[in-house]
Amino acid sequence: MAIIGAGPAGLMAAEIAAAAGLRVAVYDHTPTPARKLLLAGRGGLNLTHSEPLDRFLSRYGAAEPLFRRLLAGFSPDDLRGWAAGLGIETFVGSSGRVFPVQMKASTLVRAWLRRLDGLGVTLHSRHRWTGWDDTGALTFRHGAFDQEGETVTVAPRATLLALGGASWPRTGSDGGWVPLLEGLGVEVAPLAPSNMGFEVPWSDHLRDRFAGQPVKSVGLSAAGKRLKGEFVITETGIEGGAVYALSAPLRDAIAAEGWATLTLDLLPDMAEAELVKRLRRRGAESLSTFLKKSLSLTGPRAALLREFAPAADLTDPVALARQIKGLSVVLTGVRPIERAISSAGGVRLSELDDRLMLIRRPGLFLAGEMLDWEAPTGGYLLQGCFAMGVAAGKGMVEWLR
Ligand SMILES: Cc1cc2nc3c(=O)[nH]c(=O)nc-3n(C[C@H](O)[C@H](O)[C@H](O)COP(=O)(O)OP(=O)(O)OC[C@H]3O[C@@H](n4cnc5c(N)ncnc54)[C@H](O)[C@@H]3O)c2cc1C
Protein backbone atom coordinates (compact mmCIF):
# COMPACT_ATOMS: atom_id res chain seq x y z
CA MET A 1 0.00 0.00 0.00
CA ALA A 2 1.04 3.61 -0.59
CA ILE A 3 0.82 6.50 1.83
CA ILE A 4 1.36 9.96 0.41
CA GLY A 5 2.31 12.59 2.96
CA ALA A 6 4.90 11.98 5.68
CA GLY A 7 3.26 14.08 8.39
CA PRO A 8 1.74 12.89 11.67
CA ALA A 9 -1.36 11.41 9.99
CA GLY A 10 0.50 9.57 7.22
CA LEU A 11 3.31 8.23 9.40
CA MET A 12 0.87 7.02 12.05
CA ALA A 13 -1.14 5.13 9.42
CA ALA A 14 2.14 3.67 8.11
CA GLU A 15 3.03 2.41 11.58
CA ILE A 16 -0.38 0.77 12.11
CA ALA A 17 -0.42 -0.91 8.68
CA ALA A 18 3.21 -2.07 8.81
CA ALA A 19 2.75 -3.43 12.34
CA ALA A 20 -0.18 -5.44 10.96
CA GLY A 21 2.19 -7.02 8.44
CA LEU A 22 1.46 -4.94 5.30
CA ARG A 23 4.17 -3.67 2.94
CA VAL A 24 4.04 0.10 3.23
CA ALA A 25 5.70 2.73 1.04
CA VAL A 26 5.49 6.38 2.14
CA TYR A 27 5.95 9.17 -0.43
CA ASP A 28 6.55 12.86 0.21
CA HIS A 29 7.74 15.62 -2.08
CA THR A 30 10.02 17.25 0.48
CA PRO A 31 13.60 16.03 1.00
CA THR A 32 12.91 15.09 4.65
CA PRO A 33 9.73 13.92 6.43
CA ALA A 34 7.55 15.51 9.13
CA ARG A 35 8.61 19.09 8.52
CA LYS A 36 5.50 20.66 10.02
CA LEU A 37 5.72 18.43 13.09
CA LEU A 38 9.32 19.60 13.52
CA LEU A 39 8.20 23.21 13.12
CA ALA A 40 5.54 22.65 15.78
CA GLY A 41 8.39 21.45 17.98
CA ARG A 42 9.83 24.96 17.99
CA GLY A 43 6.84 26.03 20.06
CA GLY A 44 7.40 23.17 22.53
CA LEU A 45 5.28 20.56 20.66
CA ASN A 46 1.88 20.61 22.32
CA LEU A 47 0.96 16.98 21.60
CA THR A 48 -2.47 16.83 23.21
CA HIS A 49 -4.49 18.11 26.19
CA SER A 50 -5.33 16.60 29.57
CA GLU A 51 -8.86 18.01 30.00
CA PRO A 52 -11.90 15.69 30.40
CA LEU A 53 -12.89 13.94 27.18
CA ASP A 54 -16.26 15.68 26.68
CA ARG A 55 -14.64 19.09 26.94
CA PHE A 56 -11.82 17.94 24.67
CA LEU A 57 -14.28 16.71 22.04
CA SER A 58 -16.25 19.99 22.11
CA ARG A 59 -13.15 21.67 20.59
CA TYR A 60 -13.88 20.00 17.25
CA GLY A 61 -17.17 21.86 16.78
CA ALA A 62 -19.30 20.38 14.02
CA ALA A 63 -16.83 17.49 13.58
CA GLU A 64 -17.28 16.34 17.21
CA PRO A 65 -19.15 13.10 16.31
CA LEU A 66 -16.29 12.01 14.04
CA PHE A 67 -13.67 12.75 16.69
CA ARG A 68 -15.69 10.99 19.40
CA ARG A 69 -15.25 7.84 17.31
CA LEU A 70 -11.62 8.55 16.40
CA LEU A 71 -10.51 9.31 19.96
CA ALA A 72 -12.23 6.14 21.17
CA GLY A 73 -9.64 4.41 18.97
CA PHE A 74 -6.69 6.61 19.96
CA SER A 75 -7.21 8.77 23.03
CA PRO A 76 -5.00 11.48 24.55
CA ASP A 77 -3.74 8.83 27.02
CA ASP A 78 -2.99 6.48 24.12
CA LEU A 79 -0.99 9.28 22.48
CA ARG A 80 1.06 9.82 25.65
CA GLY A 81 1.59 6.05 25.91
CA TRP A 82 2.68 5.90 22.28
CA ALA A 83 5.19 8.74 22.83
CA ALA A 84 6.48 6.97 25.96
CA GLY A 85 6.99 3.85 23.82
CA LEU A 86 9.31 5.92 21.64
CA GLY A 87 11.23 6.99 24.76
CA ILE A 88 9.53 10.41 24.91
CA GLU A 89 8.18 11.23 28.36
CA THR A 90 5.45 13.86 28.46
CA PHE A 91 4.17 16.24 31.13
CA VAL A 92 1.01 18.26 31.72
CA GLY A 93 1.68 22.00 31.77
CA SER A 94 -0.15 24.45 34.04
CA SER A 95 -2.71 25.08 31.29
CA GLY A 96 -3.49 21.35 31.02
CA ARG A 97 -1.63 21.06 27.71
CA VAL A 98 0.62 18.04 27.21
CA PHE A 99 4.23 18.45 25.98
CA PRO A 100 7.29 16.22 25.67
CA VAL A 101 9.63 16.84 28.60
CA GLN A 102 12.28 17.99 26.11
CA MET A 103 9.81 20.51 24.58
CA LYS A 104 10.87 19.66 21.05
CA ALA A 105 9.96 17.30 18.20
CA SER A 106 13.31 16.21 16.76
CA THR A 107 13.99 13.38 19.24
CA LEU A 108 10.47 12.02 18.80
CA VAL A 109 10.67 12.18 14.99
CA ARG A 110 14.08 10.44 14.96
CA ALA A 111 12.87 7.62 17.23
CA TRP A 112 9.66 7.27 15.20
CA LEU A 113 11.49 7.03 11.86
CA ARG A 114 13.78 4.36 13.37
CA ARG A 115 10.73 2.38 14.47
CA LEU A 116 9.13 2.69 11.01
CA ASP A 117 12.35 1.59 9.38
CA GLY A 118 12.43 -1.44 11.69
CA LEU A 119 8.88 -2.29 10.58
CA GLY A 120 10.02 -2.28 6.94
CA VAL A 121 8.32 0.99 5.93
CA THR A 122 10.12 2.52 2.94
CA LEU A 123 10.28 6.30 2.68
CA HIS A 124 10.46 7.88 -0.77
CA SER A 125 11.34 11.56 -0.48
CA ARG A 126 11.27 14.08 -3.35
CA HIS A 127 8.22 12.33 -4.84
CA ARG A 128 5.49 14.82 -5.64
CA TRP A 129 2.15 13.16 -6.19
CA THR A 130 0.59 14.51 -9.40
CA GLY A 131 -2.53 12.35 -9.80
CA TRP A 132 -3.35 9.13 -11.65
CA ASP A 133 -2.53 7.86 -15.14
CA ASP A 134 -5.00 6.25 -17.56
CA THR A 135 -4.61 2.85 -15.88
CA GLY A 136 -5.44 4.28 -12.45
CA ALA A 137 -1.82 4.07 -11.20
CA LEU A 138 -0.52 6.89 -8.98
CA THR A 139 1.85 9.29 -10.72
CA PHE A 140 4.72 11.11 -9.04
CA ARG A 141 7.23 13.66 -10.20
CA HIS A 142 10.53 12.53 -8.75
CA GLY A 143 13.19 15.21 -8.41
CA ALA A 144 14.42 18.11 -6.33
CA PHE A 145 11.69 19.76 -4.22
CA ASP A 146 9.57 22.08 -6.39
CA GLN A 147 11.51 21.29 -9.60
CA GLU A 148 10.75 19.30 -12.73
CA GLY A 149 11.81 15.63 -12.63
CA GLU A 150 11.14 12.18 -14.05
CA THR A 151 7.64 10.64 -13.79
CA VAL A 152 7.28 7.59 -11.56
CA THR A 153 4.12 5.45 -11.50
CA VAL A 154 3.02 3.12 -8.71
CA ALA A 155 -0.04 0.87 -8.59
CA PRO A 156 -0.73 -0.07 -4.96
CA ARG A 157 -3.80 -2.02 -3.82
CA ALA A 158 -4.74 0.78 -1.42
CA THR A 159 -3.63 4.41 -1.04
CA LEU A 160 -3.81 6.92 1.79
CA LEU A 161 -3.58 10.63 1.05
CA ALA A 162 -2.42 12.54 4.14
CA LEU A 163 -1.31 15.72 2.39
CA GLY A 164 -2.06 18.30 5.07
CA GLY A 165 -3.73 21.69 4.63
CA ALA A 166 -2.15 24.80 3.20
CA SER A 167 -0.56 26.68 6.11
CA TRP A 168 3.22 27.15 6.16
CA PRO A 169 3.60 25.76 2.59
CA ARG A 170 7.37 25.64 2.91
CA THR A 171 6.88 22.62 5.19
CA GLY A 172 5.42 20.83 2.15
CA SER A 173 1.67 21.21 2.75
CA ASP A 174 0.70 23.51 -0.10
CA GLY A 175 -2.85 22.43 -0.91
CA GLY A 176 -1.78 21.42 -4.43
CA TRP A 177 -3.99 18.31 -4.09
CA VAL A 178 -7.25 20.29 -4.23
CA PRO A 179 -7.74 20.25 -8.05
CA LEU A 180 -6.67 16.59 -8.21
CA LEU A 181 -9.45 15.50 -5.86
CA GLU A 182 -11.98 17.92 -7.30
CA GLY A 183 -11.22 16.24 -10.64
CA LEU A 184 -12.65 13.03 -9.14
CA GLY A 185 -15.85 14.86 -8.27
CA VAL A 186 -14.91 15.05 -4.57
CA GLU A 187 -16.40 18.03 -2.72
CA VAL A 188 -13.70 20.20 -1.15
CA ALA A 189 -14.56 23.16 1.13
CA PRO A 190 -12.20 26.05 0.26
CA LEU A 191 -9.02 26.02 2.36
CA ALA A 192 -8.93 29.00 4.72
CA PRO A 193 -6.58 30.10 7.50
CA SER A 194 -7.33 28.80 11.00
CA ASN A 195 -5.55 29.76 14.22
CA MET A 196 -4.14 32.87 12.58
CA GLY A 197 -3.54 36.54 13.29
CA PHE A 198 -5.73 39.51 12.32
CA GLU A 199 -5.11 42.93 10.89
CA VAL A 200 -5.70 46.03 12.97
CA PRO A 201 -5.11 49.52 11.54
CA TRP A 202 -2.80 50.72 14.34
CA SER A 203 -1.77 54.34 14.73
CA ASP A 204 1.91 54.93 13.96
CA HIS A 205 2.48 55.60 17.66
CA LEU A 206 1.08 52.25 18.81
CA ARG A 207 2.86 50.30 16.09
CA ASP A 208 6.23 51.98 16.67
CA ARG A 209 6.11 51.67 20.45
CA PHE A 210 4.42 48.30 20.99
CA ALA A 211 4.80 45.99 17.95
CA GLY A 212 6.32 42.73 19.22
CA GLN A 213 5.06 43.19 22.79
CA PRO A 214 2.75 40.73 24.57
CA VAL A 215 -0.54 41.85 26.08
CA LYS A 216 -0.90 39.62 29.13
CA SER A 217 -3.82 38.53 31.31
CA VAL A 218 -6.66 40.14 29.43
CA GLY A 219 -10.17 38.93 28.73
CA LEU A 220 -11.11 38.49 25.07
CA SER A 221 -14.58 37.96 23.70
CA ALA A 222 -16.21 37.57 20.31
CA ALA A 223 -19.30 35.84 18.96
CA GLY A 224 -20.53 34.97 22.46
CA LYS A 225 -17.25 33.24 23.44
CA ARG A 226 -15.13 34.62 26.24
CA LEU A 227 -11.72 33.62 27.52
CA LYS A 228 -8.73 34.93 29.42
CA GLY A 229 -5.25 34.81 27.97
CA GLU A 230 -2.57 36.72 26.16
CA PHE A 231 -1.74 37.84 22.64
CA VAL A 232 0.97 39.76 20.85
CA ILE A 233 0.78 43.13 19.09
CA THR A 234 2.39 42.83 15.65
CA GLU A 235 3.28 45.38 12.95
CA THR A 236 0.04 44.58 11.17
CA GLY A 237 -2.34 43.58 13.99
CA ILE A 238 -2.56 40.85 16.59
CA GLU A 239 -1.66 37.16 16.92
CA GLY A 240 -1.12 34.54 19.63
CA GLY A 241 -2.91 31.83 21.60
CA ALA A 242 -5.92 33.76 22.91
CA VAL A 243 -6.59 35.29 19.48
CA TYR A 244 -6.29 31.89 17.77
CA ALA A 245 -8.92 30.48 20.13
CA LEU A 246 -11.44 33.00 18.77
CA SER A 247 -10.12 32.98 15.22
CA ALA A 248 -12.84 30.85 13.58
CA PRO A 249 -15.85 33.12 14.38
CA LEU A 250 -13.76 36.27 13.79
CA ARG A 251 -12.61 34.95 10.38
CA ASP A 252 -16.19 34.08 9.40
CA ALA A 253 -17.44 37.53 10.48
CA ILE A 254 -14.74 39.25 8.40
CA ALA A 255 -15.63 37.07 5.40
CA ALA A 256 -19.28 38.12 5.74
CA GLU A 257 -18.96 41.78 6.78
CA GLY A 258 -15.43 42.84 5.90
CA TRP A 259 -14.62 43.50 9.56
CA ALA A 260 -15.16 42.05 13.05
CA THR A 261 -15.09 43.35 16.61
CA LEU A 262 -12.93 41.78 19.29
CA THR A 263 -13.82 42.97 22.79
CA LEU A 264 -11.04 43.26 25.38
CA ASP A 265 -11.39 43.28 29.15
CA LEU A 266 -8.17 44.99 30.26
CA LEU A 267 -8.77 44.21 33.96
CA PRO A 268 -10.58 40.86 33.91
CA ASP A 269 -10.12 40.23 37.64
CA MET A 270 -11.88 43.41 38.78
CA ALA A 271 -15.64 43.90 38.73
CA GLU A 272 -16.90 46.96 36.86
CA ALA A 273 -18.58 48.43 39.99
CA GLU A 274 -15.31 48.21 41.95
CA LEU A 275 -13.49 49.81 39.05
CA VAL A 276 -15.94 52.74 38.95
CA LYS A 277 -15.43 53.20 42.72
CA ARG A 278 -11.67 53.36 42.30
CA LEU A 279 -11.81 55.67 39.28
CA ARG A 280 -13.98 58.08 41.30
CA ARG A 281 -11.13 58.41 43.82
CA ARG A 282 -8.87 60.01 41.22
CA GLY A 283 -7.98 63.54 42.26
CA ALA A 284 -5.70 65.90 40.39
CA GLU A 285 -3.44 63.06 39.25
CA SER A 286 -2.98 62.62 35.48
CA LEU A 287 -4.96 59.72 34.02
CA SER A 288 -1.87 57.71 33.05
CA THR A 289 -0.28 58.08 36.50
CA PHE A 290 -3.54 57.07 38.16
CA LEU A 291 -4.09 54.05 35.89
CA LYS A 292 -0.53 52.96 36.56
CA LYS A 293 -0.46 53.48 40.35
CA SER A 294 -3.98 52.49 41.32
CA LEU A 295 -4.86 49.91 38.71
CA SER A 296 -1.45 48.68 37.42
CA LEU A 297 -2.76 49.45 33.94
CA THR A 298 0.46 50.19 32.05
CA GLY A 299 2.38 49.41 28.86
CA PRO A 300 0.49 47.90 25.93
CA ARG A 301 -2.79 47.54 27.85
CA ALA A 302 -2.83 51.28 28.68
CA ALA A 303 -1.82 52.05 25.09
CA LEU A 304 -4.72 49.99 23.73
CA LEU A 305 -7.12 51.95 25.94
CA ARG A 306 -5.75 55.25 24.57
CA GLU A 307 -5.88 53.89 21.04
CA PHE A 308 -9.50 52.76 21.02
CA ALA A 309 -11.50 54.48 23.81
CA PRO A 310 -13.24 57.67 22.65
CA ALA A 311 -11.49 60.68 24.25
CA ALA A 312 -14.74 61.82 25.89
CA ASP A 313 -14.98 58.53 27.84
CA LEU A 314 -11.56 58.97 29.46
CA THR A 315 -12.79 61.70 31.81
CA ASP A 316 -15.95 60.05 33.16
CA PRO A 317 -15.42 57.19 35.70
CA VAL A 318 -18.49 55.22 34.59
CA ALA A 319 -17.73 55.51 30.86
CA LEU A 320 -14.03 54.82 31.45
CA ALA A 321 -14.77 51.70 33.50
CA ARG A 322 -17.03 50.48 30.69
CA GLN A 323 -14.20 50.99 28.18
CA ILE A 324 -11.63 49.21 30.36
CA LYS A 325 -13.98 46.24 30.81
CA GLY A 326 -15.20 46.15 27.21
CA LEU A 327 -12.84 47.83 24.78
CA SER A 328 -13.84 47.32 21.14
CA VAL A 329 -10.99 46.56 18.77
CA VAL A 330 -12.03 46.49 15.14
CA LEU A 331 -10.27 43.82 13.04
CA THR A 332 -10.14 44.68 9.37
CA GLY A 333 -8.54 41.60 7.85
CA VAL A 334 -7.27 38.05 8.32
CA ARG A 335 -3.55 37.26 8.12
CA PRO A 336 -2.71 34.98 5.18
CA ILE A 337 -2.96 31.18 5.31
CA GLU A 338 0.81 30.96 4.69
CA ARG A 339 1.34 32.19 8.25
CA ALA A 340 -1.56 30.41 9.93
CA ILE A 341 -0.99 27.55 12.38
CA SER A 342 -3.52 25.40 10.52
CA SER A 343 -6.17 25.48 7.84
CA ALA A 344 -9.92 25.11 7.82
CA GLY A 345 -11.79 23.59 4.89
CA GLY A 346 -10.73 20.52 2.92
CA VAL A 347 -12.43 17.35 1.76
CA ARG A 348 -16.00 17.24 3.12
CA LEU A 349 -16.44 14.58 5.81
CA SER A 350 -19.59 13.38 4.02
CA GLU A 351 -17.31 12.06 1.22
CA LEU A 352 -15.85 9.42 3.60
CA ASP A 353 -17.06 6.20 5.15
CA ASP A 354 -16.34 5.14 8.74
CA ARG A 355 -12.87 3.87 7.77
CA LEU A 356 -11.96 7.28 6.25
CA MET A 357 -12.21 5.77 2.75
CA LEU A 358 -13.61 7.86 -0.10
CA ILE A 359 -17.07 6.54 -0.85
CA ARG A 360 -16.74 7.30 -4.56
CA ARG A 361 -13.28 5.71 -4.86
CA PRO A 362 -12.91 2.45 -2.89
CA GLY A 363 -9.32 1.83 -1.82
CA LEU A 364 -8.48 5.55 -1.53
CA PHE A 365 -8.29 6.73 2.10
CA LEU A 366 -7.82 10.27 3.45
CA ALA A 367 -6.59 11.55 6.83
CA GLY A 368 -5.34 14.60 8.68
CA GLU A 369 -5.61 18.31 8.12
CA MET A 370 -6.68 17.92 4.47
CA LEU A 371 -10.17 17.00 5.71
CA ASP A 372 -12.82 19.60 6.53
CA TRP A 373 -12.45 20.13 10.28
CA GLU A 374 -10.71 22.64 12.48
CA ALA A 375 -9.81 23.00 16.14
CA PRO A 376 -8.08 25.60 18.29
CA THR A 377 -4.46 25.27 19.40
CA GLY A 378 -3.98 23.28 22.59
CA GLY A 379 -2.89 19.92 21.18
CA TYR A 380 -6.24 19.23 19.48
CA LEU A 381 -4.75 19.44 15.97
CA LEU A 382 -2.00 16.87 16.48
CA GLN A 383 -4.26 14.60 18.56
CA GLY A 384 -6.80 14.75 15.73
CA CYS A 385 -4.24 13.98 13.03
CA PHE A 386 -2.65 11.09 14.96
CA ALA A 387 -6.08 9.60 15.71
CA MET A 388 -7.05 9.89 12.04
CA GLY A 389 -3.81 8.16 11.06
CA VAL A 390 -4.66 5.28 13.41
CA ALA A 391 -8.20 5.00 12.02
CA ALA A 392 -7.06 5.16 8.37
CA GLY A 393 -4.26 2.63 9.00
CA LYS A 394 -6.71 0.19 10.59
CA GLY A 395 -9.27 0.89 7.84
CA MET A 396 -6.73 0.06 5.14
CA VAL A 397 -5.69 -3.17 6.86
CA GLU A 398 -9.33 -4.21 7.19
CA TRP A 399 -10.15 -3.28 3.58
CA LEU A 400 -7.12 -5.10 2.12
CA ARG A 401 -8.01 -8.22 4.05
C1 LIG B 1 4.09 26.81 13.42
C2 LIG B 1 3.16 25.66 13.73
C3 LIG B 1 3.07 25.17 15.04
C4 LIG B 1 2.17 24.15 15.34
N1 LIG B 1 2.12 23.69 16.62
C5 LIG B 1 1.22 22.74 16.94
C6 LIG B 1 1.14 22.23 18.27
O1 LIG B 1 1.96 22.59 19.15
N2 LIG B 1 0.17 21.33 18.57
C7 LIG B 1 -0.73 20.88 17.61
O2 LIG B 1 -1.61 20.08 17.95
N3 LIG B 1 -0.62 21.28 16.33
C8 LIG B 1 0.32 22.18 15.98
N4 LIG B 1 0.43 22.59 14.69
C9 LIG B 1 -0.45 21.96 13.65
C10 LIG B 1 0.06 20.56 13.26
O3 LIG B 1 1.44 20.58 13.04
C11 LIG B 1 -0.68 20.10 11.99
O4 LIG B 1 -2.07 20.12 12.23
C12 LIG B 1 -0.26 18.69 11.56
O5 LIG B 1 1.12 18.63 11.25
C13 LIG B 1 -1.06 18.21 10.35
O6 LIG B 1 -0.68 16.88 10.09
P1 LIG B 1 -0.96 16.17 8.69
O7 LIG B 1 -0.28 14.85 8.76
O8 LIG B 1 -2.40 16.23 8.37
O9 LIG B 1 -0.25 17.10 7.60
P2 LIG B 1 1.23 17.70 7.50
O10 LIG B 1 1.96 17.60 8.77
O11 LIG B 1 1.05 19.03 6.89
O12 LIG B 1 1.94 16.71 6.46
C14 LIG B 1 1.52 16.63 5.12
C15 LIG B 1 2.65 16.07 4.27
O13 LIG B 1 2.18 15.90 2.94
C16 LIG B 1 3.22 16.27 2.03
N5 LIG B 1 2.62 16.62 0.74
C17 LIG B 1 1.72 17.60 0.48
N6 LIG B 1 1.41 17.60 -0.83
C18 LIG B 1 2.13 16.60 -1.42
C19 LIG B 1 2.22 16.08 -2.74
N7 LIG B 1 1.50 16.57 -3.76
N8 LIG B 1 3.05 15.04 -2.98
C20 LIG B 1 3.78 14.48 -1.97
N9 LIG B 1 3.74 14.94 -0.69
C21 LIG B 1 2.91 15.98 -0.41
C22 LIG B 1 3.89 17.44 2.73
O14 LIG B 1 5.22 17.62 2.26
C23 LIG B 1 3.85 17.01 4.20
O15 LIG B 1 5.02 16.32 4.58
C24 LIG B 1 1.35 23.59 14.33
C25 LIG B 1 1.45 24.06 13.03
C26 LIG B 1 2.35 25.09 12.73
C27 LIG B 1 2.44 25.58 11.31
Side-chain angles (χ1 to χ4, degrees), residues 202 211-215 230-234 237-240 243:
W202 300 127
Q213 290 202 27
V215 183
E230 70 177 72
F231 63 89
V232 177
I233 294 176
T234 67
I238 52 174
E239 64 180 29
V243 171

Short mmCIF file of all heavy atoms in Angstrom, two decimals, residues 202 211-215 230-234 237-240 243:
data_model
loop_
_atom_site.label_atom_id
_atom_site.label_comp_id
_atom_site.label_asym_id
_atom_site.label_seq_id
_atom_site.Cartn_x
_atom_site.Cartn_y
_atom_site.Cartn_z
N TRP A 202 -3.41 50.00 13.21
CA TRP A 202 -2.80 50.72 14.34
C TRP A 202 -2.43 52.16 13.95
O TRP A 202 -2.10 52.42 12.79
CB TRP A 202 -1.49 50.06 14.79
CG TRP A 202 -1.53 48.65 15.25
CD1 TRP A 202 -0.75 47.64 14.78
CD2 TRP A 202 -2.35 48.08 16.29
NE1 TRP A 202 -1.04 46.47 15.45
CE2 TRP A 202 -2.01 46.72 16.39
CE3 TRP A 202 -3.32 48.59 17.14
CZ2 TRP A 202 -2.61 45.86 17.29
CZ3 TRP A 202 -3.93 47.73 18.05
CH2 TRP A 202 -3.57 46.39 18.12
N ALA A 211 4.76 47.20 18.79
CA ALA A 211 4.80 45.99 17.95
C ALA A 211 5.82 45.01 18.54
O ALA A 211 6.93 45.40 18.90
CB ALA A 211 5.16 46.35 16.52
N GLY A 212 5.43 43.76 18.66
CA GLY A 212 6.32 42.73 19.22
C GLY A 212 6.07 42.49 20.70
O GLY A 212 6.60 41.53 21.27
N GLN A 213 5.26 43.35 21.33
CA GLN A 213 5.06 43.19 22.79
C GLN A 213 3.82 42.35 23.11
O GLN A 213 2.80 42.46 22.44
CB GLN A 213 4.91 44.56 23.44
CG GLN A 213 6.21 45.33 23.42
CD GLN A 213 6.23 46.40 24.49
OE1 GLN A 213 5.57 46.28 25.52
NE2 GLN A 213 6.99 47.45 24.25
N PRO A 214 3.93 41.52 24.17
CA PRO A 214 2.75 40.73 24.57
C PRO A 214 1.76 41.57 25.38
O PRO A 214 2.17 42.49 26.10
CB PRO A 214 3.38 39.63 25.44
CG PRO A 214 4.63 40.22 25.98
CD PRO A 214 5.12 41.23 24.97
N VAL A 215 0.50 41.24 25.24
CA VAL A 215 -0.54 41.85 26.08
C VAL A 215 -1.03 40.70 26.97
O VAL A 215 -1.67 39.76 26.49
CB VAL A 215 -1.70 42.39 25.22
CG1 VAL A 215 -2.74 43.08 26.10
CG2 VAL A 215 -1.18 43.35 24.15
N GLU A 230 -3.44 35.66 26.64
CA GLU A 230 -2.57 36.72 26.16
C GLU A 230 -2.41 36.66 24.65
O GLU A 230 -2.68 35.63 24.02
CB GLU A 230 -1.22 36.68 26.87
CG GLU A 230 -0.34 35.51 26.51
CD GLU A 230 1.02 35.61 27.22
OE1 GLU A 230 1.03 35.41 28.45
OE2 GLU A 230 2.03 35.89 26.55
N PHE A 231 -2.01 37.78 24.07
CA PHE A 231 -1.74 37.84 22.64
C PHE A 231 -0.59 38.81 22.42
O PHE A 231 -0.08 39.42 23.37
CB PHE A 231 -3.00 38.23 21.85
CG PHE A 231 -3.54 39.60 22.15
CD1 PHE A 231 -3.11 40.71 21.44
CD2 PHE A 231 -4.48 39.79 23.16
CE1 PHE A 231 -3.61 41.98 21.71
CE2 PHE A 231 -4.99 41.05 23.44
CZ PHE A 231 -4.55 42.15 22.71
N VAL A 232 -0.17 38.91 21.16
CA VAL A 232 0.97 39.76 20.85
C VAL A 232 0.53 40.84 19.85
O VAL A 232 -0.23 40.56 18.92
CB VAL A 232 2.12 38.92 20.23
CG1 VAL A 232 3.30 39.80 19.81
CG2 VAL A 232 2.58 37.86 21.20
N ILE A 233 1.00 42.06 20.06
CA ILE A 233 0.78 43.13 19.09
C ILE A 233 1.85 42.98 18.01
O ILE A 233 3.03 42.83 18.32
CB ILE A 233 0.90 44.52 19.77
CG1 ILE A 233 -0.24 44.69 20.78
CG2 ILE A 233 0.91 45.64 18.74
CD1 ILE A 233 -0.17 45.98 21.59
N THR A 234 1.42 42.94 16.74
CA THR A 234 2.39 42.83 15.65
C THR A 234 2.36 44.13 14.83
O THR A 234 1.51 44.99 15.06
CB THR A 234 2.04 41.65 14.71
OG1 THR A 234 0.80 41.97 14.05
CG2 THR A 234 1.88 40.35 15.49
N GLY A 237 -1.12 43.88 13.23
CA GLY A 237 -2.34 43.58 13.99
C GLY A 237 -2.06 42.81 15.25
O GLY A 237 -1.25 43.21 16.09
N ILE A 238 -2.71 41.66 15.38
CA ILE A 238 -2.56 40.85 16.59
C ILE A 238 -2.44 39.37 16.23
O ILE A 238 -2.97 38.93 15.21
CB ILE A 238 -3.76 41.03 17.56
CG1 ILE A 238 -5.09 40.79 16.82
CG2 ILE A 238 -3.75 42.41 18.19
CD1 ILE A 238 -6.30 40.82 17.73
N GLU A 239 -1.74 38.62 17.08
CA GLU A 239 -1.66 37.16 16.92
C GLU A 239 -1.41 36.54 18.29
O GLU A 239 -1.20 37.26 19.27
CB GLU A 239 -0.54 36.78 15.94
CG GLU A 239 0.85 37.15 16.43
CD GLU A 239 1.97 36.77 15.45
OE1 GLU A 239 1.71 36.72 14.23
OE2 GLU A 239 3.08 36.53 15.93
N GLY A 240 -1.42 35.22 18.38
CA GLY A 240 -1.12 34.54 19.63
C GLY A 240 -2.29 33.71 20.13
O GLY A 240 -3.42 33.84 19.64
N VAL A 243 -5.97 34.83 20.73
CA VAL A 243 -6.59 35.29 19.48
C VAL A 243 -6.95 34.07 18.62
O VAL A 243 -8.03 34.00 18.03
CB VAL A 243 -5.64 36.24 18.71
CG1 VAL A 243 -6.17 36.55 17.33
CG2 VAL A 243 -5.43 37.53 19.51
#
